[in-house]
Coordinates of all heavy atoms in Angstrom, one line a residue:
R1 N 26.9 -53.1 9.7 CA 26.6 -53.9 8.4 C 27.7 -54.8 8.2 O 28.9 -54.6 8.3 CB 26.4 -52.9 7.2 CG 25.2 -52.0 7.3 CD 25.1 -51.1 6.2 NE 26.2 -50.2 6.0 CZ 26.2 -49.0 5.5 NH1 25.1 -48.6 5.0 NH2 27.2 -48.3 5.4
V2 N 27.3 -56.0 7.7 CA 28.3 -57.2 7.6 C 29.1 -56.8 6.4 O 28.6 -56.6 5.2 CB 27.5 -58.5 7.3 CG1 28.5 -59.6 7.1 CG2 26.7 -58.8 8.6
K3 N 30.4 -56.9 6.6 CA 31.4 -56.6 5.5 C 32.0 -58.1 5.1 O 32.0 -58.4 3.9 CB 32.7 -55.8 6.0 CG 32.3 -54.4 6.3 CD 31.9 -53.6 5.3 CE 33.1 -53.4 4.4 NZ 32.7 -52.4 3.3
M4 N 32.1 -58.9 6.0 CA 32.6 -60.4 5.7 C 32.4 -61.2 7.0 O 32.3 -60.6 8.1 CB 34.0 -60.4 5.2 CG 35.0 -59.8 6.1 SD 36.7 -59.8 5.4 CE 36.5 -58.3 4.3
A5 N 32.5 -62.5 6.8 CA 32.4 -63.4 8.0 C 33.1 -64.7 7.6 O 33.2 -65.0 6.3 CB 30.9 -63.6 8.4
N6 N 33.6 -65.5 8.6 CA 34.2 -66.7 8.3 C 33.2 -67.7 8.0 O 32.0 -67.6 8.2 CB 35.2 -67.1 9.3 CG 34.6 -67.4 10.7 OD1 33.3 -67.2 10.9 ND2 35.4 -67.8 11.7
N7 N 33.6 -68.9 7.5 CA 32.7 -69.9 7.1 C 31.9 -70.5 8.3 O 30.7 -70.9 8.2 CB 33.4 -71.1 6.4 CG 33.8 -70.7 5.0 OD1 33.1 -70.0 4.4 ND2 35.0 -71.2 4.5
V8 N 32.6 -70.6 9.5 CA 31.9 -71.1 10.7 C 30.7 -70.2 11.0 O 29.7 -70.6 11.4 CB 32.9 -71.1 12.0 CG1 32.2 -71.6 13.1 CG2 34.1 -71.9 11.6
F9 N 30.8 -68.9 10.9 CA 29.7 -67.9 11.1 C 28.5 -68.4 10.3 O 27.3 -68.5 10.7 CB 30.1 -66.6 10.9 CG 29.0 -65.6 11.0 CD1 28.6 -65.1 12.3 CD2 28.2 -65.2 10.0 CE1 27.6 -64.2 12.4 CE2 27.2 -64.2 10.1 CZ 26.9 -63.7 11.3
Y10 N 28.7 -68.5 8.9 CA 27.6 -68.9 8.0 C 26.9 -70.2 8.3 O 25.7 -70.4 8.3 CB 28.1 -68.8 6.5 CG 28.5 -67.4 6.1 CD1 29.8 -67.3 5.7 CD2 27.7 -66.4 6.1 CE1 30.3 -65.9 5.4 CE2 28.0 -65.0 5.7 CZ 29.4 -64.9 5.3 OH 29.9 -63.7 4.9
K11 N 27.8 -71.1 8.6 CA 27.3 -72.5 8.9 C 26.5 -72.6 10.1 O 25.4 -73.2 10.2 CB 28.4 -73.5 8.9 CG 29.1 -73.9 7.6 CD 30.2 -74.9 7.8 CE 30.9 -75.1 6.4 NZ 32.0 -76.1 6.5
M12 N 27.1 -72.0 11.3 CA 26.3 -72.0 12.6 C 25.0 -71.4 12.6 O 24.0 -71.8 13.1 CB 27.3 -71.3 13.7 CG 26.5 -71.4 15.1 SD 27.6 -70.9 16.3 CE 28.7 -72.3 16.6
F13 N 24.8 -70.1 11.9 CA 23.7 -69.3 12.0 C 22.8 -69.5 10.7 O 21.8 -68.8 10.5 CB 23.9 -67.9 12.2 CG 24.6 -67.6 13.5 CD1 26.0 -67.5 13.4 CD2 24.0 -67.7 14.6 CE1 26.7 -67.3 14.7 CE2 24.6 -67.4 15.9 CZ 25.9 -67.2 15.8
K14 N 23.2 -70.7 9.8 CA 22.4 -71.0 8.5 C 22.0 -69.7 7.8 O 21.0 -69.3 7.4 CB 21.0 -71.5 9.1 CG 21.2 -72.7 10.0 CD 21.9 -73.9 9.3 CE 22.0 -75.1 10.3 NZ 22.8 -76.2 9.7
I15 N 23.1 -68.9 7.5 CA 22.9 -67.8 6.7 C 23.9 -67.8 5.4 O 25.1 -68.2 5.5 CB 23.4 -66.5 7.5 CG1 22.7 -66.3 8.8 CG2 23.3 -65.2 6.6 CD1 23.1 -65.3 9.8
S16 N 23.3 -67.5 4.3 CA 24.2 -67.5 3.1 C 24.9 -66.2 3.0 O 24.7 -65.1 3.6 CB 23.2 -67.6 1.8 OG 22.5 -66.5 1.7
I17 N 26.1 -66.3 2.2 CA 27.0 -65.1 2.1 C 26.2 -64.0 1.4 O 26.3 -62.8 1.8 CB 28.3 -65.5 1.3 CG1 29.1 -66.6 2.1 CG2 29.1 -64.2 0.9 CD1 30.3 -67.1 1.2
E18 N 25.5 -64.3 0.4 CA 24.6 -63.3 -0.4 C 23.8 -62.7 0.5 O 23.5 -61.4 0.4 CB 24.0 -63.8 -1.6 CG 25.0 -64.6 -2.6 CD 25.6 -65.9 -2.1 OE1 25.0 -66.5 -1.2 OE2 26.6 -66.4 -2.9
D19 N 23.0 -63.3 1.4 CA 21.9 -62.7 2.3 C 22.6 -61.8 3.3 O 21.9 -61.0 3.8 CB 21.1 -63.7 2.9 CG 20.2 -64.5 1.8 OD1 20.0 -63.9 0.8 OD2 19.7 -65.6 2.2
A20 N 23.8 -62.0 3.7 CA 24.5 -61.4 4.8 C 25.2 -60.1 4.4 O 25.2 -59.0 5.1 CB 25.4 -62.4 5.5
R21 N 25.9 -60.3 3.3 CA 26.9 -59.2 3.0 C 26.2 -57.8 2.8 O 25.1 -57.8 2.0 CB 27.7 -59.6 1.9 CG 28.8 -58.6 1.4 CD 29.9 -59.2 0.5 NE 30.5 -60.4 1.1 CZ 31.1 -61.3 0.3 NH1 31.1 -61.1 -1.0 NH2 31.8 -62.2 1.0
G22 N 26.5 -56.8 3.5 CA 25.9 -55.4 3.3 C 24.8 -55.2 4.2 O 24.2 -54.1 4.1
R23 N 24.3 -56.3 4.8 CA 23.1 -56.0 5.6 C 23.3 -55.8 7.0 O 24.3 -56.3 7.5 CB 22.1 -57.3 5.5 CG 21.4 -57.6 4.1 CD 20.6 -58.7 4.2 NE 19.5 -58.6 5.1 CZ 18.7 -59.6 5.4 NH1 19.0 -60.8 5.0 NH2 17.8 -59.5 6.2
P24 N 22.5 -55.0 7.8 CA 22.8 -54.9 9.2 C 22.8 -56.2 10.0 O 21.8 -57.1 9.6 CB 21.6 -54.0 9.6 CG 21.2 -53.2 8.4 CD 21.4 -54.2 7.2
L25 N 23.6 -56.3 10.9 CA 23.7 -57.7 11.6 C 22.3 -57.9 12.3 O 22.0 -59.1 12.2 CB 24.8 -57.4 12.9 CG 24.8 -58.6 13.8 CD1 25.5 -59.8 13.1 CD2 25.8 -58.1 14.9
Y26 N 21.5 -57.0 12.6 CA 20.3 -57.2 13.5 C 19.2 -57.8 12.5 O 18.1 -58.3 13.0 CB 19.8 -56.0 14.2 CG 21.0 -55.2 14.8 CD1 21.4 -54.1 14.2 CD2 21.6 -55.7 15.9 CE1 22.5 -53.3 14.8 CE2 22.6 -54.9 16.4 CZ 23.1 -53.8 16.0 OH 24.0 -53.2 16.5
E27 N 19.4 -57.7 11.2 CA 18.4 -58.3 10.4 C 18.8 -59.7 10.0 O 17.8 -60.3 9.3 CB 18.4 -57.4 9.1 CG 17.8 -56.0 9.3 CD 17.7 -55.1 8.0 OE1 18.1 -55.7 7.0 OE2 17.4 -54.0 8.2
L28 N 19.8 -60.2 10.3 CA 20.1 -61.6 10.0 C 19.4 -62.7 10.7 O 19.1 -62.4 11.9 CB 21.6 -61.8 10.1 CG 22.5 -60.9 9.3 CD1 24.0 -61.3 9.5 CD2 22.2 -60.7 7.9
G29 N 19.2 -63.8 10.0 CA 18.6 -65.0 10.9 C 17.4 -64.8 11.5 O 17.1 -65.1 12.6
S30 N 16.4 -64.2 10.8 CA 15.1 -63.8 11.4 C 15.1 -63.1 12.6 O 14.4 -63.3 13.7 CB 14.4 -65.2 11.4 OG 14.2 -65.8 10.4
G31 N 16.1 -62.2 12.8 CA 16.1 -61.3 14.0 C 16.8 -61.9 15.1 O 16.7 -61.5 16.2
V32 N 17.5 -63.1 14.9 CA 18.2 -63.8 16.1 C 19.3 -62.8 16.7 O 19.6 -62.9 17.9 CB 18.9 -65.1 15.6 CG1 20.1 -64.9 14.6 CG2 19.3 -65.9 16.8
W33 N 19.8 -61.7 15.9 CA 20.8 -61.0 16.4 C 20.2 -59.7 17.1 O 21.0 -58.8 17.5 CB 21.8 -60.6 15.3 CG 22.7 -61.7 15.1 CD1 22.7 -62.6 14.1 CD2 23.9 -62.2 15.9 NE1 23.7 -63.6 14.2 CE2 24.5 -63.3 15.3 CE3 24.4 -61.5 17.1 CZ2 25.6 -64.0 15.9 CZ3 25.5 -62.2 17.5 CH2 26.3 -63.3 17.0
N34 N 18.9 -59.6 17.0 CA 18.4 -58.5 17.6 C 18.3 -58.6 19.1 O 17.2 -58.7 19.7 CB 16.9 -58.2 17.0 CG 16.3 -56.8 17.3 OD1 17.1 -55.9 17.7 ND2 14.9 -56.8 17.1
I35 N 19.4 -58.4 19.8 CA 19.6 -58.6 21.1 C 19.6 -57.5 21.9 O 20.6 -56.5 21.6 CB 21.0 -59.6 21.4 CG1 20.9 -60.8 20.5 CG2 21.1 -59.9 22.7 CD1 22.2 -61.5 20.5
P36 N 18.8 -57.2 22.9 CA 18.9 -56.0 23.8 C 20.2 -55.8 24.4 O 20.9 -56.7 24.9 CB 17.8 -56.4 24.9 CG 16.9 -57.4 24.4 CD 17.9 -58.2 23.4
G37 N 20.8 -54.6 24.2 CA 22.0 -54.2 24.8 C 23.2 -54.3 23.7 O 24.1 -53.6 23.7
L38 N 23.0 -55.2 22.7 CA 24.2 -55.4 21.8 C 24.4 -54.3 20.8 O 25.6 -53.9 20.6 CB 23.9 -56.8 21.0 CG 25.0 -57.1 20.0 CD1 26.3 -57.2 20.6 CD2 24.6 -58.4 19.1
R39 N 23.3 -53.8 20.4 CA 23.2 -52.6 19.4 C 24.1 -51.4 20.2 O 25.0 -50.8 19.5 CB 22.0 -52.1 19.0 CG 22.0 -51.0 17.9 CD 20.5 -50.4 17.7 NE 19.6 -51.5 17.3 CZ 19.4 -51.7 16.0 NH1 19.9 -51.0 15.0 NH2 18.5 -52.7 15.7

């Protein structure tokens, strides 16, 4: 689950701080991080 990220992360992946914090990485950005093998 996302604890924090730098500004570059939020800008590149078009994710707001409020939407990211505390959520599993794999749910961010319409599932862009749901990558086979990464989990």
Side-chain angles (χ1 to χ4, degrees):
R1 293 176 299 206
V2 177
K3 301 290 290 180
M4 61 185 75
N6 65 356
N7 287 326
V8 179
F9 176 85
Y10 294 120
K11 287 180 181 178
M12 178 175 285
F13 297 101
K14 308 293 182 185
I15 301 169
S16 67
I17 296 175
E18 295 76 17
D19 288 342
R21 190 165 295 165
R23 291 181 62 193
L25 177 67
Y26 316 109
E27 296 179 3
L28 302 184
S30 302
V32 69
W33 284 98
N34 192 15
I35 301 167
L38 178 59
R39 187 190 297 264

